[in-house]
Amino acid sequence: MLPGAGRPGGSPPPFDPLDSPVRSVTVKPVSLNGARVRLDLTILIPHLGFLAEGALLTAEVCALALVGSVLLGMLVAIARTSSNKWIGRLAFAYVDLFRNVPFIVQLFFFYYGLPEIGIYIDAFTTGVVALSISGGAYASDAIRAGILAIDNGILEAAEVSGLSKRVTFTRIVLPIALRTSVRPLGSVLINMILTSSILSTITLNELTGQAKIVASDTFRPFEVYVVLLVVYAALTYLVSIGISLLHRRLNRDLVEQVS
Amino acid sequence: MRYAEFTPFDLVLLAQGLGVTVGLFLATTLIGLFLGALWGVIRFYRTPVLTQFITFVAEILKNSPVLVQLFLVFFGFPAFFKLNMTPVNAAVITLSLNTAAFVYVIAVSSIESIGRDQVEAARVFGLTRWQVLRHVIAPQALAFSIGPLTALLVNQLQVTSLISVIGVMDLAKIGANLNLRTLQPFIVWTVVGVLYYLAAKLVATLGARLEKRLRAHSAFRGL
């Protein structure tokens, strides 16, 4: 029945909730047994294993994407520091593009676009590829800074010793650049862990995806997401401690300079 | 009948999406700048308890995914505090607080970048703590912080795309809708990506120009 279609002059038709047009939707807060809902984290205990599966998937995705982005970052950093102008410009265009377009747009571009051109890969692979490409842009900046920080004297010494350009690069420049850029690469990794939560939008059930399922199962979104927030913060905190230790270990012979 | 082709109206939709994105970006940036600067001032005055609390909140906000923060505000808050939350409200709250957390860090480091001797000299001349902040620290800290702030805002502009997940009709959501209707992901996401790219470049350019102006007093004048 349409609104206002009642009989003219007669009494208004009885209210029928199934028939009435929806005017406003109010979110009814969930309360169990009518009691005030209090913060009760124990309801999450049965779901811990389920969440841990998601955390494992997040770790896998991030580990693979870290490897991918460091490899890509090294190639792009080499290209950006090369003496060939056009290679440098191309590499800069890549970095500029992937740093200035939101990750979710890149992700949808790959996830919906690749099947169009006949490449059928699952959400996991798409996620790793997208994270690697986007992370590679950031990693290349970190590695490039490491390369540019190398003292010219070292390069001259290598040249005088008769090392070829390739050997100088792989045996001298890259090891030094990589170990001085451990810290910035670490912040790339932390960013990647945070960004990987976006993969839940392409049906990849990593930590955030699993938490979404738990939230809709238990009707306790507040508890679930508060815990998730703290878990992510703790995770990135632990990673940053690990990176500091690694940085100190790799640069232990330069202690007075790096400290 | 299916409207699978692109129509001129799609351009209007894209413009609307861009408008929503830019509008929310500007609003959350202003709120975030204000809140972050306020937190920085609270820290400058070394307010006991409050400073530690703010630092803790800022750390949590900085080190957790914005998507989870959005879910907490949009799904968690209504269920727990029994209030109504529209997607736009949730987006404004989350993005403002997130921006504020990063602005706070920039504010703290730029305040600390000013030598203590300047503050001490100003105090000796009898300036109050507020006068020191207003006339000695603020102008220099502002010039110092424009660079990091620009980088932050370029990043936050991209972060706004996440609000499409909770249903705000921003540029990314319009892109998703167009993608579902036309099934032409390459064209749709390229156009959306280009729009985001141009917006980010605009922010970066404006930031660079502002920084140049604020730093004009200390720039090298030439011989």
Side-chain angles (χ1 to χ4, degrees):
Chain A
M1 175 171 291
L2 289 169
R7 290 148 292 179
S11 60
F15 176 69
D16 180 8
L18 292 176
D19 204 14
S20 69
V22 177
R23 281 201 203 81
S24 67
V25 179
T26 45
V27 182
K28 269 278 189 293
V30 177
S31 73
L32 302 174
N33 309 327
R36 217 185 115 83
V37 180
R38 257 182 268 130
L39 190 68
D40 179 17
L41 296 180
T42 52
I43 51 134
L44 289 179
I45 292 174
H47 302 280
L48 282 182
F50 190 66
L51 288 173
E53 277 173 35
L56 199 65
L57 193 61
T58 295
E60 271 174 46
V61 169
C62 289
L64 287 175
L66 179 70
V67 173
S69 62
V70 169
L71 287 179
L72 195 61
M74 276 196 305
L75 284 178
V76 175
I78 294 169
R80 279 195 73 183
T81 50
S82 98
S83 44
N84 186 323
K85 215 171 20 172
W86 285 103
I87 294 179
R89 273 185 200 166
L90 196 67
F92 175 74
Y94 157 74
V95 173
D96 194 41
L97 191 65
F98 282 91
R99 286 181 70 143
N100 283 310
V101 172
F103 179 72
I104 198 168
V105 173
Q106 298 171 25
L107 189 65
F108 285 165
F109 183 84
F110 290 123
Y111 186 64
Y112 294 113
L114 287 183
E116 283 288 288
I117 53 169
I119 302 175
Y120 295 95
I121 49 177
D122 59 343
F124 181 83
T125 323
T126 312
V128 171
V129 167
L131 265 183
S132 304
I133 293 180
S134 142
Y138 290 93
S140 80
D141 263 6
I143 299 172
R144 176 169 161 268
I147 292 177
L148 292 181
I150 291 174
D151 191 15
N152 268 333
I154 295 177
L155 296 182
E156 281 161 15
E159 208 174 324
V160 169
S161 312
L163 296 180
S164 70
K165 260 193 164 170
R166 196 177 58 81
V167 174
T168 311
F169 209 90
T170 53
R171 291 299 168 91
I172 295 173
V173 172
L174 268 188
I176 300 179
L178 279 181
R179 76 173 185 184
T180 49
S181 52
V182 164
R183 230 181 254 274
L185 281 180
S187 50
V188 171
L189 172 63
I190 287 174
N191 241 328
M192 196 176 276
I193 294 173
L194 300 184
T195 311
S196 70
S197 67
I198 299 174
L199 299 184
S200 64
T201 58
I202 59 161
T203 71
L204 184 66
N205 283 330
E206 37 67 80
L207 190 49
T208 308
Q210 301 282 76
K212 256 161 87 177
I213 296 172
V214 173
S216 47
D217 273 1
T218 57
F219 292 111
R220 293 297 193 91
F222 187 79
E223 282 84 349
V224 173
Y225 292 126
V226 161
V227 168
L228 194 60
L229 216 65
V230 175
V231 166
Y232 267 111
L235 205 66
T236 49
Y237 183 66
L238 286 180
V239 169
S240 72
I241 290 179
I243 289 157
S244 285
L245 290 178
L246 184 68
H247 174 81
R248 210 172 299 164
R249 166 127 188 92
L250 287 179
N251 296 298
R252 60 190 178 283
D253 52 331
L254 303 166
V255 173
E256 58 272 62
Q257 291 167 37
V258 177
S259 65
Chain B
M1 150 163 203
R2 261 184 64 81
Y3 295 93
E5 285 82 42
F6 287 107
T7 63
F9 186 64
D10 293 345
L11 293 177
V12 179
L13 281 180
L14 280 173
Q16 275 179 0
L18 190 64
V20 170
T21 293
V22 170
L24 275 174
F25 168 70
L26 287 179
T28 57
T29 299
L30 286 179
I31 302 174
L33 282 175
F34 174 74
L35 270 183
L38 185 72
W39 295 353
V41 171
I42 288 175
R43 190 189 152 105
F44 177 73
Y45 277 97
R46 300 203 189 134
T47 323
V49 191
L50 209 52
T51 304
Q52 281 80 0
F53 177 71
I54 287 170
T55 311
F56 177 74
V57 169
E59 277 301 312
I60 291 272
L61 284 174
K62 268 173 53 202
N63 288 317
S64 60
V66 181
L67 199 59
V68 177
Q69 295 166 20
L70 272 175
F71 286 163
L72 178 65
V73 173
F74 186 60
F75 298 117
F77 280 17
F80 193 73
F81 298 112
K82 309 191 176 183
L83 38 81
N84 285 328
M85 184 73 79
T86 65
V88 173
N89 285 351
V92 169
I93 294 173
T94 314
L95 292 178
S96 302
L97 285 176
N98 192 262
T99 309
F102 285 97
V103 170
Y104 168 69
V105 176
I106 294 175
V108 167
S109 61
S110 53
I111 287 176
E112 279 170 2
S113 75
I114 287 140
R116 281 224 60 84
D117 41 353
Q118 284 196 40
V119 178
E120 278 158 17
R123 293 287 282 168
V124 168
F125 275 114
L127 271 66
T128 62
R129 246 185 123 66
W130 170 251
Q131 283 173 322
V132 173
L133 188 65
R134 169 71 188 78
H135 297 289
V136 179
I137 292 179
Q140 301 180 66
L142 198 62
F144 178 87
S145 62
I146 291 293
L149 275 181
T150 310
L152 169 70
L153 291 188
V154 169
N155 205 16
Q156 291 303 101
L157 177 67
Q158 294 167 40
V159 168
T160 58
S161 65
L162 294 182
I163 60 181
S164 63
V165 177
I166 60 166
V168 180
M169 279 290 166
D170 74 331
L171 190 50
K173 188 73 186 174
I174 297 288
N177 286 353
L178 287 181
N179 178 30
L180 284 179
R181 206 193 72 213
T182 63
L183 299 177
Q184 304 228 21
F186 274 127
I187 301 175
V188 169
W189 292 118
T190 306
V191 169
V192 171
V194 165
L195 286 176
Y196 271 114
Y197 178 86
L198 291 178
K201 280 288 146 190
L202 184 67
V203 173
T205 313
L206 289 179
R209 200 175 282 183
L210 187 62
E211 184 177 20
K212 206 172 163 193
R213 250 185 80 178
L214 284 179
R215 281 183 185 260
H217 67 94
S218 62
F220 183 62
R221 263 174 239 164
L223 294 167

